[in-house]
Amino acid sequence: MSENNDKRLFLVDAYAMIFRGYYALIRSPRITSSGMDTSAIFGFTNSLIELIRRQKPTQLAVVFDVGKTNVRTEDFADYKANRSDTPEAIQLAIPYIHRILQAMHIPILGVEGYEADDVIGTIACKAEKQGYTVYMVTPDKDFAQLVTPNIKIYKPGLKGAEFEILGVEEVQAKYGIKDPKQVIDFLAMMGDAVDNIPGLEGVGEKTATKFLQQYGSLENLLEHTHELKGKLKEKVENSAERGRMSKRLATIICDVPVDFEHEKYDLETPDFEQVRQVFDEIEFRRLYETLYRAFSEDKVSTGAEVLEPAKEGATQLDLFSSFDDLEQATSQKASLDSSQTLYQLIDNSTAVKALVKTLLEKDSVCFDTETTSLNELEAQLVGISFSYRKGLAYYVPIPTKLEQRSQTLELLRPFFESTKVEKVAHNLKYDYKVLYMHGVQVQEPYFDTMIAHYLLNPDGRHGMDYLAQMHLNYEPISLESLIGKKGKGQGLFNELPLETQRDYSCEDADITFQLYELFRPELEKSELLTLFKEVEMPLLQVLAGMELRGVQLDRGWLEKESKDLESDLKALEEKVFSLSGETFNLNSPKQLGDILFERLGLDPKAKKTKSGQYATSEDILQKLSAAHPVIEPILEYRTYQKLKSTYVDALPLQIDAHDSRVHTNFSQTTAATGRLSSLNPNLQNIPIRTLRGQQIRGAFVASRGHRIISADYSQIELRLIAEIAKEQSMIEAFLKGEDIHASTASKLFNVPLQEVSKLQRSQAKTVNFGIIYGQGAFGLSQQTGLSRSEAKSMIDAYFATYPNLKSWMANQVEEARQKGYVQTLLGRRRYLKDINSRNFVVRGHAERNAVNAPIQGSAADLIKMAMIRIDRLFNEKNLKTEMLLQVHDELVFESPLDEIETASLLIKTQMEEVYETKVPLLVEVGVGKNWLEAH
DNA sequence: AAGCAGCA
DNA sequence: TGCTGCTT
């Protein structure tokens, strides 16, 4: 293994890698059955094994910080202070990682009193002298200073991203410098927040780069400060000493008392049995197979070849089913490659026909489309892959020429339009829309693996590459590595060689099919299959329809409003400048804060945000409005600026040139409660509160001969709370048709309903609202301006009025503790792993979610059901009315004039009768030429 | 609270 | 990346 001409030493920066692994998984951490967070261990170990598998180091060691690091702390007491609050999961991880490394026979290094950086630096230098090529394995940019022709940085790829190797040239290019050593000067000038290196005052990345090009080093800069001008000159001169200290802090020490004993670092075969024991303990199942493979694959002997981030051919897609036990693996070693996957190109009509015939005999078939664009409306089909068995997939290229393309699609049509075969895909709505634009309408039954995972784990991430790694322990070819990063230089999928297209696409279909096999039984086990089949899958098609349809905007009005706002803003800006006696960028909260609190000294105890800036949010400014006349125009400026930039100017840019309509995208897998979310553009946050904001809704217009119908559930969440918690007095209020906030106030303040004051009603409303959003006592005081204890007693009074509500809430929390999750009316789950946390902030959050998720989620369930039924009835009755938008408790339609009454009634009835409840569900319907009038 | 988005 | 602000 260790030929002389191949001496490649990898030094792993342990803590940096552990942190990185931990944060990479922070959104869906790995938790064992006993509740231990093993994300950090997994992240680290996975990267390490990946490194061994792909790079085949000859020498390898892992370096930790040991004991107190006092060499630098003498210099600057705060050094690395920011790192002290290490998460619990990381502290817990260290002993396990040590055990794993020992079992793998990988040396653990560390020198008391020195940073791991310094140990790595020292060993790297020594190894270089002995003819080694050294790779420092770390995401930390500080190491760039050590780079030489034989010492490089190996930056592992994060989740699907490729790894990076930084040699001299890369470092030069990245920092715009001649010598990697200048990285020290660079850090000394700009500072580094993570390591608490202060840097020079007023110098950031840009300025530091400029200085380096001009002066070459910190010292030289400090000698020439007289050449600088203005504020910057002053700041740099004042912080010169700080700069020199920063340079000492940033310098990695290369004379740590440690030797490089190369024979100890030879990469040896692990003690598999021992590794397995540790893995078993922390419930790592698939990682063991990866480890075994890393050591059983053919060794590659020349460094240069291995280090090219080359793609492995798709034929090497490993299927670890055959690695279930060690013996089998041993006997198969090195020969498993092409035997287990078959990715076939289907490029003539005879073969396509045969394929479709086969597909039509299957119960479930997975497919994946490849296109030229992420925008479904303009995407051209390039190819489609199919898979119905693990390891097996077919790729059908779709010709560019119209005639041949239609021919191919006609051959495929029977499959897509079959009502027997279940069509499996990841993010099926995308494929549905693309095919729809090509004249093919994919029919139910559907199985979207992305949505399946969303139901199984609504808080997690649902991307295919990510799921492949988590559930199949497999890293797919990244599209980016084939066609380049997003932006100008990005290539098109159809320009790739056919074999590459085939391998990439088949792999996706194959993986999706494997995910399907995994998730389907899981859905069943969690009793989510009905929700999935009856609600989410049918909804997919409804949403696709809404997105394809889009909504018409009044471009002329928006353009005029933009000009009006522009001139209003100009006037306000001048007013602010003259009142404050200074001109600055009003859009910069940072500059605004400085002016208000430094120059005008408005509030000596001004609040700061956590990054040290002055907070200038609306509620803070509002309190100051009496203190200075400048505040009022600032607030007004803010409001208008927001309207202009976010809506008036942004919306016209999203108008599609083909049909002059805006096509938003509804995400069915983003909000953990079960709500939808809308993006590109977000049409769920169009203003309504203020008069001028409202006008924007007027720009959402019905097309000629049509009207907008808006239908909104009145107080659906409160009604559901009353229903689910069986809160009798609240139910009665709804039955009597009372104003619920007034009714709450009447009970809360013990006054007759007729005598409830405005303030009382508004306070009751805030409490009701707080319950819905699970805000708790703490948020309430913020919202109302009441003191903490006043808010507290208000909530006590609230619970005294609604005792069943209180006990229902307590019940939810209890249920979450026992089962680990809470449920909506339709069985949608939200897992709350923090419900037993010892940290009361974290636990409190989970507890509020235990109450909030079933309410918000149930409301989401109901409106989703209503959408499906309305859509079906429109089709059955052949109505031309079309659903355009959903805004959580509101549906917006576009209806031909002669259908308005029929459609309105149908909509209202379906929404109100969507689910049988004791509390009546009330829907308010409005009609108008635009969304504003319809409200 | 939790979505999305604009801006520096 | 952090801050701010719009909706429900």
Side-chain angles (χ1 to χ4, degrees), chain A residues 493-521:
Chain A
F493 191 83
N494 56 350
E495 287 161 0
L496 294 169
L498 218 47
E499 295 74 43
T500 315
Q501 291 185 19
R502 175 199 65 199
D503 290 346
Y504 172 83
S505 188
C506 285
E507 186 181 86
D508 278 2
D510 184 10
I511 287 170
T512 306
F513 188 78
Q514 294 182 49
L515 292 174
Y516 162 72
E517 290 190 308
L518 222 50
F519 294 161
R520 182 166 184 122

PDB file of all heavy atoms in Angstrom, chain A residues 493-521:
ATOM      1  N   PHE A 493     -29.016  20.382 -20.331  1.00  0.00           N
ATOM      2  CA  PHE A 493     -28.967  18.937 -20.179  1.00  0.00           C
ATOM      3  C   PHE A 493     -28.886  18.231 -21.524  1.00  0.00           C
ATOM      4  O   PHE A 493     -28.195  17.231 -21.672  1.00  0.00           O
ATOM      5  CB  PHE A 493     -30.199  18.468 -19.396  1.00  0.00           C
ATOM      6  CG  PHE A 493     -30.101  17.046 -18.957  1.00  0.00           C
ATOM      7  CD1 PHE A 493     -29.415  16.716 -17.798  1.00  0.00           C
ATOM      8  CD2 PHE A 493     -30.675  16.035 -19.710  1.00  0.00           C
ATOM      9  CE1 PHE A 493     -29.313  15.395 -17.398  1.00  0.00           C
ATOM     10  CE2 PHE A 493     -30.566  14.709 -19.310  1.00  0.00           C
ATOM     11  CZ  PHE A 493     -29.882  14.392 -18.155  1.00  0.00           C
ATOM     12  N   ASN A 494     -29.571  18.784 -22.512  1.00  0.00           N
ATOM     13  CA  ASN A 494     -29.597  18.090 -23.806  1.00  0.00           C
ATOM     14  C   ASN A 494     -28.282  18.194 -24.572  1.00  0.00           C
ATOM     15  O   ASN A 494     -28.108  17.564 -25.594  1.00  0.00           O
ATOM     16  CB  ASN A 494     -30.760  18.606 -24.665  1.00  0.00           C
ATOM     17  CG  ASN A 494     -30.680  20.107 -24.856  1.00  0.00           C
ATOM     18  OD1 ASN A 494     -29.874  20.772 -24.195  1.00  0.00           O
ATOM     19  ND2 ASN A 494     -31.486  20.632 -25.754  1.00  0.00           N
ATOM     20  N   GLU A 495     -27.344  18.975 -24.052  1.00  0.00           N
ATOM     21  CA  GLU A 495     -26.042  19.060 -24.727  1.00  0.00           C
ATOM     22  C   GLU A 495     -25.074  18.001 -24.206  1.00  0.00           C
ATOM     23  O   GLU A 495     -23.964  17.856 -24.712  1.00  0.00           O
ATOM     24  CB  GLU A 495     -25.453  20.464 -24.524  1.00  0.00           C
ATOM     25  CG  GLU A 495     -26.187  21.507 -25.355  1.00  0.00           C
ATOM     26  CD  GLU A 495     -25.966  22.926 -24.869  1.00  0.00           C
ATOM     27  OE1 GLU A 495     -25.229  23.101 -23.881  1.00  0.00           O
ATOM     28  OE2 GLU A 495     -26.552  23.843 -25.477  1.00  0.00           O
ATOM     29  N   LEU A 496     -25.479  17.273 -23.198  1.00  0.00           N
ATOM     30  CA  LEU A 496     -24.613  16.229 -22.653  1.00  0.00           C
ATOM     31  C   LEU A 496     -24.644  15.001 -23.561  1.00  0.00           C
ATOM     32  O   LEU A 496     -25.624  14.767 -24.266  1.00  0.00           O
ATOM     33  CB  LEU A 496     -25.100  15.829 -21.256  1.00  0.00           C
ATOM     34  CG  LEU A 496     -24.990  16.885 -20.161  1.00  0.00           C
ATOM     35  CD1 LEU A 496     -25.765  16.436 -18.931  1.00  0.00           C
ATOM     36  CD2 LEU A 496     -23.535  17.121 -19.809  1.00  0.00           C
ATOM     37  N   PRO A 497     -23.562  14.218 -23.527  1.00  0.00           N
ATOM     38  CA  PRO A 497     -23.580  12.968 -24.300  1.00  0.00           C
ATOM     39  C   PRO A 497     -24.733  12.070 -23.842  1.00  0.00           C
ATOM     40  O   PRO A 497     -25.084  12.069 -22.662  1.00  0.00           O
ATOM     41  CB  PRO A 497     -22.240  12.310 -23.959  1.00  0.00           C
ATOM     42  CG  PRO A 497     -21.434  13.321 -23.246  1.00  0.00           C
ATOM     43  CD  PRO A 497     -22.326  14.421 -22.785  1.00  0.00           C
ATOM     44  N   LEU A 498     -25.260  11.312 -24.751  1.00  0.00           N
ATOM     45  CA  LEU A 498     -26.408  10.478 -24.454  1.00  0.00           C
ATOM     46  C   LEU A 498     -26.154   9.505 -23.300  1.00  0.00           C
ATOM     47  O   LEU A 498     -27.027   9.262 -22.467  1.00  0.00           O
ATOM     48  CB  LEU A 498     -26.803   9.707 -25.717  1.00  0.00           C
ATOM     49  CG  LEU A 498     -28.290   9.519 -25.975  1.00  0.00           C
ATOM     50  CD1 LEU A 498     -29.059  10.817 -25.794  1.00  0.00           C
ATOM     51  CD2 LEU A 498     -28.507   8.980 -27.378  1.00  0.00           C
ATOM     52  N   GLU A 499     -24.947   8.973 -23.242  1.00  0.00           N
ATOM     53  CA  GLU A 499     -24.636   8.009 -22.169  1.00  0.00           C
ATOM     54  C   GLU A 499     -24.689   8.696 -20.814  1.00  0.00           C
ATOM     55  O   GLU A 499     -25.146   8.129 -19.827  1.00  0.00           O
ATOM     56  CB  GLU A 499     -23.237   7.401 -22.337  1.00  0.00           C
ATOM     57  CG  GLU A 499     -23.046   6.548 -23.571  1.00  0.00           C
ATOM     58  CD  GLU A 499     -22.943   7.408 -24.817  1.00  0.00           C
ATOM     59  OE1 GLU A 499     -22.247   8.448 -24.759  1.00  0.00           O
ATOM     60  OE2 GLU A 499     -23.590   7.077 -25.832  1.00  0.00           O
ATOM     61  N   THR A 500     -24.212   9.938 -20.767  1.00  0.00           N
ATOM     62  CA  THR A 500     -24.248  10.680 -19.502  1.00  0.00           C
ATOM     63  C   THR A 500     -25.696  10.957 -19.112  1.00  0.00           C
ATOM     64  O   THR A 500     -26.073  10.786 -17.958  1.00  0.00           O
ATOM     65  CB  THR A 500     -23.489  12.013 -19.639  1.00  0.00           C
ATOM     66  OG1 THR A 500     -22.263  11.763 -20.308  1.00  0.00           O
ATOM     67  CG2 THR A 500     -23.231  12.622 -18.285  1.00  0.00           C
ATOM     68  N   GLN A 501     -26.472  11.380 -20.089  1.00  0.00           N
ATOM     69  CA  GLN A 501     -27.892  11.601 -19.830  1.00  0.00           C
ATOM     70  C   GLN A 501     -28.515  10.340 -19.255  1.00  0.00           C
ATOM     71  O   GLN A 501     -29.239  10.374 -18.268  1.00  0.00           O
ATOM     72  CB  GLN A 501     -28.630  11.957 -21.127  1.00  0.00           C
ATOM     73  CG  GLN A 501     -28.284  13.309 -21.697  1.00  0.00           C
ATOM     74  CD  GLN A 501     -29.148  13.631 -22.923  1.00  0.00           C
ATOM     75  OE1 GLN A 501     -30.200  13.040 -23.144  1.00  0.00           O
ATOM     76  NE2 GLN A 501     -28.680  14.575 -23.730  1.00  0.00           N
ATOM     77  N   ARG A 502     -28.229   9.234 -19.909  1.00  0.00           N
ATOM     78  CA  ARG A 502     -28.812   7.963 -19.487  1.00  0.00           C
ATOM     79  C   ARG A 502     -28.411   7.630 -18.042  1.00  0.00           C
ATOM     80  O   ARG A 502     -29.253   7.331 -17.209  1.00  0.00           O
ATOM     81  CB  ARG A 502     -28.319   6.839 -20.407  1.00  0.00           C
ATOM     82  CG  ARG A 502     -28.778   5.461 -19.979  1.00  0.00           C
ATOM     83  CD  ARG A 502     -27.919   4.370 -20.620  1.00  0.00           C
ATOM     84  NE  ARG A 502     -26.540   4.456 -20.146  1.00  0.00           N
ATOM     85  CZ  ARG A 502     -25.501   3.900 -20.761  1.00  0.00           C
ATOM     86  NH1 ARG A 502     -25.679   3.220 -21.878  1.00  0.00           N
ATOM     87  NH2 ARG A 502     -24.295   4.013 -20.270  1.00  0.00           N
ATOM     88  N   ASP A 503     -27.125   7.727 -17.770  1.00  0.00           N
ATOM     89  CA  ASP A 503     -26.661   7.337 -16.433  1.00  0.00           C
ATOM     90  C   ASP A 503     -27.251   8.234 -15.359  1.00  0.00           C
ATOM     91  O   ASP A 503     -27.699   7.767 -14.317  1.00  0.00           O
ATOM     92  CB  ASP A 503     -25.134   7.386 -16.372  1.00  0.00           C
ATOM     93  CG  ASP A 503     -24.509   6.277 -17.194  1.00  0.00           C
ATOM     94  OD1 ASP A 503     -25.259   5.348 -17.571  1.00  0.00           O
ATOM     95  OD2 ASP A 503     -23.302   6.348 -17.463  1.00  0.00           O
ATOM     96  N   TYR A 504     -27.273   9.510 -15.628  1.00  0.00           N
ATOM     97  CA  TYR A 504     -27.794  10.450 -14.633  1.00  0.00           C
ATOM     98  C   TYR A 504     -29.286  10.214 -14.422  1.00  0.00           C
ATOM     99  O   TYR A 504     -29.770  10.070 -13.304  1.00  0.00           O
ATOM    100  CB  TYR A 504     -27.546  11.887 -15.095  1.00  0.00           C
ATOM    101  CG  TYR A 504     -28.214  12.918 -14.226  1.00  0.00           C
ATOM    102  CD1 TYR A 504     -27.604  13.336 -13.048  1.00  0.00           C
ATOM    103  CD2 TYR A 504     -29.464  13.439 -14.556  1.00  0.00           C
ATOM    104  CE1 TYR A 504     -28.216  14.265 -12.231  1.00  0.00           C
ATOM    105  CE2 TYR A 504     -30.080  14.363 -13.738  1.00  0.00           C
ATOM    106  CZ  TYR A 504     -29.449  14.778 -12.583  1.00  0.00           C
ATOM    107  OH  TYR A 504     -30.061  15.688 -11.770  1.00  0.00           O
ATOM    108  N   SER A 505     -30.004  10.162 -15.505  1.00  0.00           N
ATOM    109  CA  SER A 505     -31.450  10.079 -15.404  1.00  0.00           C
ATOM    110  C   SER A 505     -31.894   8.735 -14.824  1.00  0.00           C
ATOM    111  O   SER A 505     -32.768   8.673 -13.964  1.00  0.00           O
ATOM    112  CB  SER A 505     -32.060  10.293 -16.787  1.00  0.00           C
ATOM    113  OG  SER A 505     -33.447  10.388 -16.682  1.00  0.00           O
ATOM    114  N   CYS A 506     -31.280   7.654 -15.305  1.00  0.00           N
ATOM    115  CA  CYS A 506     -31.638   6.331 -14.800  1.00  0.00           C
ATOM    116  C   CYS A 506     -31.343   6.231 -13.306  1.00  0.00           C
ATOM    117  O   CYS A 506     -32.092   5.624 -12.554  1.00  0.00           O
ATOM    118  CB  CYS A 506     -30.888   5.250 -15.555  1.00  0.00           C
ATOM    119  SG  CYS A 506     -31.533   4.965 -17.209  1.00  0.00           S
ATOM    120  N   GLU A 507     -30.243   6.824 -12.922  1.00  0.00           N
ATOM    121  CA  GLU A 507     -29.902   6.792 -11.506  1.00  0.00           C
ATOM    122  C   GLU A 507     -31.008   7.444 -10.682  1.00  0.00           C
ATOM    123  O   GLU A 507     -31.434   6.913  -9.653  1.00  0.00           O
ATOM    124  CB  GLU A 507     -28.585   7.522 -11.283  1.00  0.00           C
ATOM    125  CG  GLU A 507     -28.075   7.423  -9.869  1.00  0.00           C
ATOM    126  CD  GLU A 507     -26.780   8.180  -9.691  1.00  0.00           C
ATOM    127  OE1 GLU A 507     -26.833   9.393  -9.427  1.00  0.00           O
ATOM    128  OE2 GLU A 507     -25.711   7.560  -9.827  1.00  0.00           O
ATOM    129  N   ASP A 508     -31.500   8.575 -11.154  1.00  0.00           N
ATOM    130  CA  ASP A 508     -32.573   9.258 -10.425  1.00  0.00           C
ATOM    131  C   ASP A 508     -33.833   8.395 -10.343  1.00  0.00           C
ATOM    132  O   ASP A 508     -34.466   8.295  -9.290  1.00  0.00           O
ATOM    133  CB  ASP A 508     -32.924  10.587 -11.110  1.00  0.00           C
ATOM    134  CG  ASP A 508     -31.956  11.687 -10.714  1.00  0.00           C
ATOM    135  OD1 ASP A 508     -31.010  11.388  -9.958  1.00  0.00           O
ATOM    136  OD2 ASP A 508     -32.148  12.836 -11.144  1.00  0.00           O
ATOM    137  N   ALA A 509     -34.192   7.784 -11.445  1.00  0.00           N
ATOM    138  CA  ALA A 509     -35.388   6.944 -11.431  1.00  0.00           C
ATOM    139  C   ALA A 509     -35.179   5.757 -10.500  1.00  0.00           C
ATOM    140  O   ALA A 509     -36.056   5.385  -9.723  1.00  0.00           O
ATOM    141  CB  ALA A 509     -35.712   6.477 -12.844  1.00  0.00           C
ATOM    142  N   ASP A 510     -33.996   5.187 -10.584  1.00  0.00           N
ATOM    143  CA  ASP A 510     -33.658   4.038  -9.749  1.00  0.00           C
ATOM    144  C   ASP A 510     -33.755   4.410  -8.270  1.00  0.00           C
ATOM    145  O   ASP A 510     -34.389   3.714  -7.467  1.00  0.00           O
ATOM    146  CB  ASP A 510     -32.239   3.583 -10.117  1.00  0.00           C
ATOM    147  CG  ASP A 510     -31.812   2.325  -9.370  1.00  0.00           C
ATOM    148  OD1 ASP A 510     -32.672   1.703  -8.709  1.00  0.00           O
ATOM    149  OD2 ASP A 510     -30.618   1.972  -9.442  1.00  0.00           O
ATOM    150  N   ILE A 511     -33.127   5.511  -7.922  1.00  0.00           N
ATOM    151  CA  ILE A 511     -33.143   5.960  -6.528  1.00  0.00           C
ATOM    152  C   ILE A 511     -34.565   6.240  -6.071  1.00  0.00           C
ATOM    153  O   ILE A 511     -34.993   5.818  -4.996  1.00  0.00           O
ATOM    154  CB  ILE A 511     -32.295   7.237  -6.372  1.00  0.00           C
ATOM    155  CG1 ILE A 511     -30.821   6.891  -6.463  1.00  0.00           C
ATOM    156  CG2 ILE A 511     -32.606   7.925  -5.043  1.00  0.00           C
ATOM    157  CD1 ILE A 511     -29.934   8.095  -6.551  1.00  0.00           C
ATOM    158  N   THR A 512     -35.310   6.942  -6.913  1.00  0.00           N
ATOM    159  CA  THR A 512     -36.684   7.263  -6.534  1.00  0.00           C
ATOM    160  C   THR A 512     -37.473   5.988  -6.291  1.00  0.00           C
ATOM    161  O   THR A 512     -38.260   5.898  -5.353  1.00  0.00           O
ATOM    162  CB  THR A 512     -37.349   8.112  -7.629  1.00  0.00           C
ATOM    163  OG1 THR A 512     -36.523   9.240  -7.889  1.00  0.00           O
ATOM    164  CG2 THR A 512     -38.713   8.600  -7.188  1.00  0.00           C
ATOM    165  N   PHE A 513     -37.239   5.002  -7.132  1.00  0.00           N
ATOM    166  CA  PHE A 513     -37.967   3.755  -6.923  1.00  0.00           C
ATOM    167  C   PHE A 513     -37.584   3.103  -5.596  1.00  0.00           C
ATOM    168  O   PHE A 513     -38.426   2.584  -4.866  1.00  0.00           O
ATOM    169  CB  PHE A 513     -37.726   2.768  -8.074  1.00  0.00           C
ATOM    170  CG  PHE A 513     -38.614   1.566  -7.981  1.00  0.00           C
ATOM    171  CD1 PHE A 513     -39.940   1.638  -8.373  1.00  0.00           C
ATOM    172  CD2 PHE A 513     -38.144   0.376  -7.436  1.00  0.00           C
ATOM    173  CE1 PHE A 513     -40.785   0.544  -8.237  1.00  0.00           C
ATOM    174  CE2 PHE A 513     -38.980  -0.720  -7.298  1.00  0.00           C
ATOM    175  CZ  PHE A 513     -40.303  -0.637  -7.703  1.00  0.00           C
ATOM    176  N   GLN A 514     -36.314   3.166  -5.280  1.00  0.00           N
ATOM    177  CA  GLN A 514     -35.881   2.594  -4.001  1.00  0.00           C
ATOM    178  C   GLN A 514     -36.483   3.362  -2.828  1.00  0.00           C
ATOM    179  O   GLN A 514     -36.851   2.765  -1.810  1.00  0.00           O
ATOM    180  CB  GLN A 514     -34.355   2.596  -3.912  1.00  0.00           C
ATOM    181  CG  GLN A 514     -33.705   1.665  -4.915  1.00  0.00           C
ATOM    182  CD  GLN A 514     -32.195   1.651  -4.768  1.00  0.00           C
ATOM    183  OE1 GLN A 514     -31.671   1.504  -3.677  1.00  0.00           O
ATOM    184  NE2 GLN A 514     -31.503   1.835  -5.875  1.00  0.00           N
ATOM    185  N   LEU A 515     -36.571   4.671  -2.975  1.00  0.00           N
ATOM    186  CA  LEU A 515     -37.197   5.463  -1.906  1.00  0.00           C
ATOM    187  C   LEU A 515     -38.669   5.070  -1.770  1.00  0.00           C
ATOM    188  O   LEU A 515     -39.203   4.953  -0.674  1.00  0.00           O
ATOM    189  CB  LEU A 515     -37.070   6.963  -2.199  1.00  0.00           C
ATOM    190  CG  LEU A 515     -35.659   7.542  -2.127  1.00  0.00           C
ATOM    191  CD1 LEU A 515     -35.647   8.999  -2.579  1.00  0.00           C
ATOM    192  CD2 LEU A 515     -35.095   7.435  -0.714  1.00  0.00           C
ATOM    193  N   TYR A 516     -39.295   4.854  -2.906  1.00  0.00           N
ATOM    194  CA  TYR A 516     -40.702   4.424  -2.900  1.00  0.00           C
ATOM    195  C   TYR A 516     -40.864   3.137  -2.098  1.00  0.00           C
ATOM    196  O   TYR A 516     -41.734   3.021  -1.238  1.00  0.00           O
ATOM    197  CB  TYR A 516     -41.156   4.236  -4.340  1.00  0.00           C
ATOM    198  CG  TYR A 516     -42.408   3.412  -4.504  1.00  0.00           C
ATOM    199  CD1 TYR A 516     -43.650   3.910  -4.151  1.00  0.00           C
ATOM    200  CD2 TYR A 516     -42.332   2.111  -5.020  1.00  0.00           C
ATOM    201  CE1 TYR A 516     -44.802   3.148  -4.301  1.00  0.00           C
ATOM    202  CE2 TYR A 516     -43.466   1.346  -5.175  1.00  0.00           C
ATOM    203  CZ  TYR A 516     -44.705   1.864  -4.812  1.00  0.00           C
ATOM    204  OH  TYR A 516     -45.830   1.097  -4.953  1.00  0.00           O
ATOM    205  N   GLU A 517     -39.994   2.174  -2.373  1.00  0.00           N
ATOM    206  CA  GLU A 517     -40.085   0.893  -1.662  1.00  0.00           C
ATOM    207  C   GLU A 517     -39.889   1.071  -0.160  1.00  0.00           C
ATOM    208  O   GLU A 517     -40.438   0.337   0.643  1.00  0.00           O
ATOM    209  CB  GLU A 517     -39.038  -0.083  -2.197  1.00  0.00           C
ATOM    210  CG  GLU A 517     -39.352  -0.561  -3.591  1.00  0.00           C
ATOM    211  CD  GLU A 517     -38.441  -1.702  -4.014  1.00  0.00           C
ATOM    212  OE1 GLU A 517     -37.206  -1.507  -3.885  1.00  0.00           O
ATOM    213  OE2 GLU A 517     -38.941  -2.745  -4.440  1.00  0.00           O
ATOM    214  N   LEU A 518     -39.089   2.068   0.174  1.00  0.00           N
ATOM    215  CA  LEU A 518     -38.818   2.332   1.595  1.00  0.00           C
ATOM    216  C   LEU A 518     -39.988   3.060   2.260  1.00  0.00           C
ATOM    217  O   LEU A 518     -40.403   2.733   3.367  1.00  0.00           O
ATOM    218  CB  LEU A 518     -37.573   3.219   1.657  1.00  0.00           C
ATOM    219  CG  LEU A 518     -36.505   2.954   2.689  1.00  0.00           C
ATOM    220  CD1 LEU A 518     -36.098   1.503   2.691  1.00  0.00           C
ATOM    221  CD2 LEU A 518     -35.298   3.835   2.367  1.00  0.00           C
ATOM    222  N   PHE A 519     -40.516   4.070   1.572  1.00  0.00           N
ATOM    223  CA  PHE A 519     -41.487   4.962   2.205  1.00  0.00           C
ATOM    224  C   PHE A 519     -42.905   4.381   2.238  1.00  0.00           C
ATOM    225  O   PHE A 519     -43.669   4.671   3.141  1.00  0.00           O
ATOM    226  CB  PHE A 519     -41.518   6.322   1.487  1.00  0.00           C
ATOM    227  CG  PHE A 519     -40.240   7.098   1.619  1.00  0.00           C
ATOM    228  CD1 PHE A 519     -39.933   8.127   0.738  1.00  0.00           C
ATOM    229  CD2 PHE A 519     -39.341   6.807   2.644  1.00  0.00           C
ATOM    230  CE1 PHE A 519     -38.753   8.856   0.868  1.00  0.00           C
ATOM    231  CE2 PHE A 519     -38.154   7.524   2.781  1.00  0.00           C
ATOM    232  CZ  PHE A 519     -37.866   8.546   1.880  1.00  0.00           C
ATOM    233  N   ARG A 520     -43.235   3.604   1.233  1.00  0.00           N
ATOM    234  CA  ARG A 520     -44.606   3.110   1.176  1.00  0.00           C
ATOM    235  C   ARG A 520     -44.995   2.353   2.452  1.00  0.00           C
ATOM    236  O   ARG A 520     -45.997   2.691   3.085  1.00  0.00           O
ATOM    237  CB  ARG A 520     -44.815   2.259  -0.058  1.00  0.00           C
ATOM    238  CG  ARG A 520     -46.234   1.834  -0.098  1.00  0.00           C
ATOM    239  CD  ARG A 520     -46.735   1.268  -1.389  1.00  0.00           C
ATOM    240  NE  ARG A 520     -48.143   1.035  -1.154  1.00  0.00           N
ATOM    241  CZ  ARG A 520     -49.110   1.562  -1.866  1.00  0.00           C
ATOM    242  NH1 ARG A 520     -48.823   2.330  -2.881  1.00  0.00           N
ATOM    243  NH2 ARG A 520     -50.357   1.320  -1.554  1.00  0.00           N
ATOM    244  N   PRO A 521     -44.233   1.342   2.852  1.00  0.00           N
ATOM    245  CA  PRO A 521     -44.599   0.654   4.107  1.00  0.00           C
ATOM    246  C   PRO A 521     -44.540   1.571   5.327  1.00  0.00           C
ATOM    247  O   PRO A 521     -45.322   1.388   6.258  1.00  0.00           O
ATOM    248  CB  PRO A 521     -43.567  -0.472   4.219  1.00  0.00           C
ATOM    249  CG  PRO A 521     -42.516  -0.181   3.225  1.00  0.00           C
ATOM    250  CD  PRO A 521     -43.103   0.697   2.183  1.00  0.00           C
TER     251      PRO A 521
END
